[in-house]
Amino acid sequence: KLQFLYFIVTHYNMSIPILATAALAGTTFLNSGTVRSTDKFGLVTVNSIYNEDYSYEGVFGGNGGWTRGGLPYLYKMEGNNQTSVPPSGMRSSVPLGGLAAGGIELRGDGRIGDWGIALNNGPQAFQNAGKFEDNNWMMGVAVKDVAVAVRTNPPQGVDAADAISQMTYRGAFPVSQLSLEDLRLNASGAAVMNAYSHFEMNKPSDSSLPVINFEYLFPAAAASEKKSLFMNIPESLFRKPGVSVSVDGATAILKGGVNDTAGEIAVMVLVDGKPSTVAPTWIQSSSVATNWGQFKDLKGVLPSKQESGVGQVGVAVSVPNGQNVTLVFGYFFPDRHWGSENIGQFYASIWGSAKEVVTQSASNIASGKTNSAITAWNRLCTDNSMPTWLRDALTQTGGGLGKTSMFLKDGRYRQYESHSCAQMEPPHIHFYRALLYSSVFPTLEEQTVDMYASTLPADGDVQELFGCGCGGCGGHSYNLDTPMGGPRGDDTSLFLIDNYMNYKWHGKSLSGNWDAIIRAVAWVTGNAQLYGLPHDLRNTFDEHGIVGNTNSYSAFVFLTGMAATKEMALLMKNDTMHALADAALTRGVAQLESQLWTGSYYRSFWCANGNTDPNALQGDSTYGYLWSVLLDLDLGIDAAKVKSHIEHERMWNLNDYGIMFASNRTYSYDCKGKGPLRAGFSDIDTWTMMAMDHASVGIRVGADIGESMGVAQNMIDSYRLLNNDQWDIRDLSSRYSDAIESEPSRPTCNSHYTRQTIMWAIPMMLSGQQWDFASSTLSLKPADVQQYSKLPVFASGASLIATFQSNKCVQLEVLSTPSTTATISNLVVNGVNFAAPGDLKVGDMKVYCPK
């Protein structure tokens, strides 16, 4: 079904209606940005601490690698040396490609950013390289032999008059949409191009399919008209010019490259969902201008030969009729190395060539599999009563999972700390991501905790990293899955919580990791012996150094780890461990109250020598408490105190962009007394995940829901609306007072830590969901059924939509399941037993009422 949305666009002094259509049934877009051919953009270096370099139209703003002291940030050039924030879709856009298989981003002006296809998501982080793009990528479309470049600013050599007049970008992972707004294409309405990949909850293997589908939808009036599509593929994707080109039926195949960039690209043509009966044509030359010129001169076809050298490959197809024409772009680069070991690509264990990849994608499209998978994810995120800003943000979280991940040929799945930090799976980063992984790809999350267990040192201290350091490998050997990095105040406790989460939500046996759990408990309780809480250890806020002898952030994580250990000890019938954890929890809570409770909130840190800052309040101190609520663990802490803490955090640490790291601090974190505050990372920095955790905890402890949610909105909208950069959310940002531009908060560090995905705790807190695998019981306790009556819910590995009805009943609709069915044996709402749902399958929608 086509849904119509009309815009008025002026071109050649005429107004035409623009058809904005969701080609994938049920896809909802909640953002947009419009770029015109008259717009000019450029990189401007602005204040920052450290970032990877960024390129625009193939030119880096810095040294092409790690950049300290400045961020080359994209701006719209307004003339008179003035700049403005570019439209949404220009600084970043929806990641496209297979899960952890490398990919691209289709930007609002039609160029491709963040090339990671042959790079395999590896060298960017491994070599601290910048975000690469080749400006010679270009697509084009012709209707009745009138050709228009799908770029508002085409590559060098292409006639500027061929640029499309205007495009509007919309993004809803895993779909990018461009409405092609140009009178030359069709006066009755604009064509729409949807670029999308296969993303299917609970199906990581299927989601790894390395493909991007570029689907062109034309107005019905143009269905019978001749249409031609053009795609220019830079040979730089193979890191070596001189690829070979062949045609096999409806598919053009490119082969080339060396070493890890040796592989294939295939482009299959579909017309109205079926392989085209017209074979694609091609050209190989040294410039995109040559290829585009031939496309225009030959009325939508190419000569299928090498012209004047190598460097650029053009592919074209001309079809006599059809409303929907799709170029299925598949890639296959099976090798990748970690040191001397060829760790390979997981997708290469399923498909054997780029031709097989595009054939699979065509089959998925024809069967409706891709449509159903994308619609399920989109509805989970958007078909609810939450506000627009949150629904939009949740939709994009799926793109962060594979962006900086590796899916290896032996089935291992690993994720870097961030885009430019090759530390592999640091626990304090991973566990912020774990909530989403556990909800939609639980088997991948389980891999990580098993890796921590299998590599745990004899002393039980879970290490910080399992790859190389942030600066590359340096003097170390190539050490994938080898623990290193030293002790932390949060890592080992998070390991304990992670094991319990997988048992409680997915029934994962504790036996396999039990020996590691015993050693981890011994280490963390041993460290806490001195002061009753973890002491003198860095935690996730490591750039601030060791924060006090004890601090509230590590304390709450430790306490939740002990509560989880008590439950695991009961399950494993280990009375000794239960007693140890119970004693540690009881003493730890007492020390939390005596060392850190001010009477109104939990202070940031405590120093044994008396140099405790009496008033400092650190954001995100209650992160560990959030996990205790998510897992229904009793810490023995008065929720009223946590509510008071949250309210003071909002009072003192809230700014227009989220939650600041700390407030009211006059003493040094190192317990040496008063002194100058640390430079670089600052107390006024806004950390992304802090606002998500604040909102989530506030909802469940009885703080004002609107005010709690408003904190999260501040952070999300700072990227979504203020910076128009919501697909490149950084770990932290800060305020600057320079004169280069107007926005007061900008990214401070490098990209794609993906810790903002902890925002999924917000709908969980709104629904009050608790899932217990062992008893197959789903409990719901909605926080505000009047305002938030329709919410996403996870149970039994399934994704559902729960609608709370005025008659006290609840409707459950099943969007995805881990296998054929999912089972909910018991349903409890607000403490009342409801009729049991039983076995559920995708598509089921039924109302359940109290027994």
Side-chain angles (χ1 to χ4, degrees):
K1 294 181 179 179
L2 301 181
Q3 297 178 344
F4 297 90
L5 206 61
Y6 288 95
F7 301 84
I8 299 299
V9 178
T10 300
H11 184 68
Y12 298 140
N13 296 317
M14 296 180 64
S15 295
I16 59 175
I18 299 304
L19 172 65
T21 160
L24 300 163
T27 300
T28 297
F29 298 94
L30 297 172
N31 55 75
S32 67
T34 299
V35 181
R36 299 170 178 83
S37 60
T38 54
D39 292 340
K40 303 299 180 185
F41 302 92
L43 294 171
V44 177
T45 299
V46 297
N47 290 328
S48 186
I49 298 178
Y50 59 81
N51 287 274
E52 57 275 296
D53 199 2
Y54 282 69
S55 62
Y56 172 65
E57 296 188 338
V59 179
F60 279 105
N63 60 10
W66 191 254
T67 299
R68 288 191 176 272
L71 165 66
Y73 214 24
L74 188 68
Y75 286 91
K76 184 179 178 183
M77 302 302 170
E78 301 289 4
N80 298 320
N81 294 320
Q82 299 297 307
T83 62
S84 65
V85 176
S88 180
M90 285 296 291
R91 283 176 167 168
S92 60
S93 53
V94 168
L96 301 169
L99 177 68
I104 61 173
E105 293 184 9
L106 174 67
R107 296 291 164 79
D109 57 356
R111 65 195 161 90
I112 296 293
D114 279 20
W115 281 111
I117 292 176
L119 292 176
N120 296 313
N121 277 7
Q124 301 105 314
F126 198 63
Q127 299 173 359
N128 292 330
K131 294 199 166 188
F132 166 76
E133 62 182 64
D134 188 315
N135 196 45
N136 288 309
W137 166 276
M138 193 182 88
M139 300 187 74
V141 59
V143 177
K144 294 188 293 188
D145 297 329
V146 177
V148 175
V150 184
R151 290 279 299 268
T152 57
N153 185 28
Q156 184 176 6
V158 175
D159 191 341
D162 292 339
I164 193 164
S165 182
Q166 175 174 295
M167 291 191 290
T168 296
Y169 177 86
R170 299 173 185 86
F173 177 82
V175 185
S176 280
Q177 182 183 91
L178 288 174
S179 59
L180 312 182
E181 302 163 9
D182 195 302
L183 185 65
R184 291 170 292 180
L185 293 178
N186 193 288
S188 63
V192 170
M193 191 260 279
N194 293 291
Y196 61 94
S197 302
H198 188 89
F199 182 80
E200 187 170 1
M201 292 182 286
N202 287 301
K203 302 292 191 299
S205 296
D206 292 355
S207 299
S208 72
L209 182 68
V211 72
I212 302 105
N213 303 295
F214 295 93
E215 176 189 53
Y216 287 79
L217 283 158
F218 296 90
S224 60
E225 297 172 343
K226 176 187 173 185
K227 290 169 289 294
S228 303
L229 300 182
F230 170 86
M231 176 184 288
N232 192 80
I233 304 169
E235 294 183 15
S236 62
L237 287 179
F238 295 88
R239 290 296 180 268
K240 183 179 180 181
V243 305
S244 64
V245 186
S246 61
V247 173
D248 182 359
T251 305
I253 301 172
L254 287 65
K255 296 182 179 182
V258 294
N259 301 322
D260 284 3
T261 64
E264 304 172 358
I265 290 174
V267 181
M268 176 182 279
V269 183
L270 306 180
V271 179
D272 292 336
K274 300 177 181 179
S276 173
T277 57
V278 179
T281 55
W282 59 274
I283 185 174
Q284 188 173 24
S285 75
S286 60
S287 75
V288 60
T290 297
N291 296 350
W292 177 247
Q294 289 282 288
F295 177 77
K296 291 198 301 179
D297 292 345
L298 298 178
K299 307 299 183 183
V301 297
L302 292 168
S304 295
K305 65 178 183 179
Q306 181 174 333
E307 287 281 333
S308 54
V310 296
Q312 308 296 323
V313 175
V315 176
V317 64
S318 184
V319 297
N321 51 56
Q323 192 173 356
N324 176 324
V325 184
T326 302
L327 299 181
V328 182
F329 180 94
Y331 50 99
F332 185 81
F333 295 87
D335 297 324
R336 70 180 300 160
H337 282 76
W338 190 275
S340 59
E341 180 187 4
N342 184 3
I343 58 179
Q345 292 283 6
F346 177 73
Y347 64 69
S349 68
I350 305 175
W351 301 282
S353 66
K355 177 66 181 297
E356 289 186 17
V357 166
V358 296
T359 301
Q360 178 71 67
S361 187
S363 174
N364 290 348
I365 293 170
S367 68
K369 178 180 173 66
T370 293
N371 182 14
S372 297
I374 293 175
T375 299
W377 167 255
N378 188 268
R379 288 196 59 214
L380 181 73
C381 301
T382 66
D383 189 5
N384 53 63
S385 54
M386 293 186 292
T388 297
W389 58 266
L390 182 55
R391 292 186 293 134
D392 192 14
L394 290 170
T395 306
Q396 317 308 338
T397 55
L401 300 184
K403 184 76 176 181
T404 53
S405 300
M406 304 191 303
F407 210 165
L408 311 185
K409 65 180 179 182
D410 61 7
R412 283 180 293 168
Y413 185 95
R414 301 288 183 264
Q415 188 163 8
Y416 292 110
E417 173 167 317
S418 64
H419 182 276
S420 297
C421 180
Q423 289 187 186
M424 194 65 68
E425 296 288 9
H428 68 102
I429 301 290
H430 164 75
F431 208 56
Y432 280 95
R433 305 162 173 164
L435 184 60
L436 179 55
Y437 272 116
S438 185
S439 299
V440 299
F441 293 128
T443 58
L444 299 184
E445 204 292 316
E446 292 172 8
Q447 281 198 32
T448 306
V449 72
D450 287 348
M451 187 262 291
Y452 296 153
S454 65
T455 60
L456 188 70
D459 66 359
D461 169 27
V462 177
Q463 296 289 289
E464 162 64 2
L465 60 101
F466 300 84
C468 298
C470 268
C473 283
H476 303 294
S477 62
Y478 292 87
N479 43 34
L480 184 61
D481 288 1
T482 300
M484 56 190 297
R488 291 263 175 158
D490 45 4
D491 284 351
T492 305
S493 292
L494 292 172
F495 167 71
L496 299 173
I497 302 168
D498 201 344
N499 276 281
Y500 182 65
M501 176 190 71
N502 278 289
Y503 166 80
K504 181 173 177 62
W505 288 349
H506 302 293
K508 185 177 185 297
S509 173
L510 296 170
S511 299
N513 293 342
W514 189 240
D515 288 344
I517 292 170
I518 291 173
R519 298 201 308 275
V521 171
W523 186 89
V524 75
T525 54
N527 175 265
Q529 278 296 312
L530 182 60
Y531 300 126
L533 296 168
H535 74 90
D536 297 293
L537 293 169
R538 292 177 183 264
N539 57 33
T540 195
F541 305 106
D542 47 20
E543 294 287 354
H544 290 274
I546 295 175
V547 178
N549 293 129
T550 65
N551 61 76
S552 52
Y553 178 89
S554 295
F556 274 106
V557 172
F558 167 74
L559 297 175
T560 300
M562 290 300 94
T565 299
K566 284 180 59 179
E567 296 299 321
M568 291 188 289
L570 284 174
L571 292 163
M572 297 300 290
K573 300 180 180 180
N574 189 317
D575 294 340
T576 301
M577 178 178 284
H578 184 272
L580 175 64
D582 184 57
L585 178 60
T586 301
R587 184 186 177 212
V589 170
Q591 294 300 89
L592 176 78
E593 300 296 330
S594 64
Q595 295 173 12
L596 297 167
W597 178 247
T598 68
S600 299
Y601 58 89
Y602 295 97
R603 64 172 58 90
S604 172
F605 62 95
W606 174 84
C607 296
N609 63 7
N611 287 329
T612 299
D613 194 309
N615 299 313
L617 194 160
Q618 180 182 318
D620 215 25
S621 294
T622 53
Y623 169 65
Y625 185 86
L626 170 60
W627 275 104
S628 76
V629 177
L630 286 166
L631 295 171
D632 199 22
L633 295 168
D634 183 8
L635 303 186
I637 295 173
D638 186 354
K641 288 185 174 181
V642 180
K643 176 185 176 185
S644 179
H645 176 91
I646 287 293
E647 290 172 343
H648 281 79
E649 182 178 74
R650 185 162 62 247
M651 184 188 309
W652 291 339
N653 291 44
L654 176 65
N655 60 28
D656 290 340
Y657 322 107
I659 293 291
M660 297 187 303
F661 177 71
S663 61
N664 301 327
R665 184 171 69 89
T666 56
Y667 282 68
S668 173
Y669 290 123
D670 60 12
C671 294
K672 294 181 180 179
K674 293 187 176 182
L677 302 184
R678 184 182 301 273
F681 281 76
S682 167
D683 285 0
I684 68 168
D685 293 337
T686 303
W687 290 72
T688 297
M689 67 286 196
M690 287 183 175
M692 309 298 107
D693 298 341
H694 174 101
S696 302
V697 173
I699 291 167
R700 287 325 299 184
V701 298
D704 185 274
I705 294 177
E707 292 182 0
S708 298
M709 294 275 281
V711 173
Q713 182 179 5
N714 282 8
M715 192 294 296
I716 288 173
D717 279 351
S718 71
Y719 277 91
R720 180 174 173 267
L721 300 179
L722 179 65
N723 289 308
N724 280 340
D725 199 10
Q726 69 171 322
W727 296 280
D728 195 3
I729 293 178
R730 320 301 174 85
D731 225 20
L732 69 159
S733 57
S734 199
R735 301 195 302 269
Y736 293 94
S737 57
D738 54 45
I740 195 70
E741 40 71 45
S742 59
E743 66 258 35
S745 180
R746 293 195 304 273
T748 299
C749 71
N750 61 301
S751 61
H752 302 300
Y753 282 80
T754 321
R755 290 206 273 188
Q756 74 273 10
T757 58
I758 192 69
M759 73 176 72
W760 276 97
I762 296 176
M764 291 181 179
M765 295 299 100
L766 288 172
S767 70
Q769 77 158 70
Q770 291 291 337
W771 168 248
D772 183 73
F773 180 90
S775 63
S776 187
T777 299
L778 173 63
S779 298
L780 300 171
K781 190 176 181 180
D784 183 350
V785 73
Q786 299 301 315
Q787 186 170 1
Y788 303 106
S789 61
K790 190 175 186 181
L791 295 164
V793 169
F794 300 99
S796 192
S799 302
L800 308 98
I801 297 176
T803 303
F804 302 97
Q805 300 184 339
S806 58
N807 62 356
K808 308 300 183 182
C809 297
V810 62
Q811 175 183 283
L812 296 180
E813 180 182 0
V814 184
L815 299 178
S816 73
T817 59
S819 57
T820 305
T821 61
T823 301
I824 301 176
S825 299
N826 304 288
L827 177 62
V828 180
V829 181
N830 290 323
V832 177
N833 290 322
F834 275 47
D839 292 337
L840 301 171
K841 63 182 183 298
V842 172
D844 283 351
M845 183 168 62
K846 187 176 178 181
V847 175
Y848 302 92
C849 297
K851 289 184 177 179

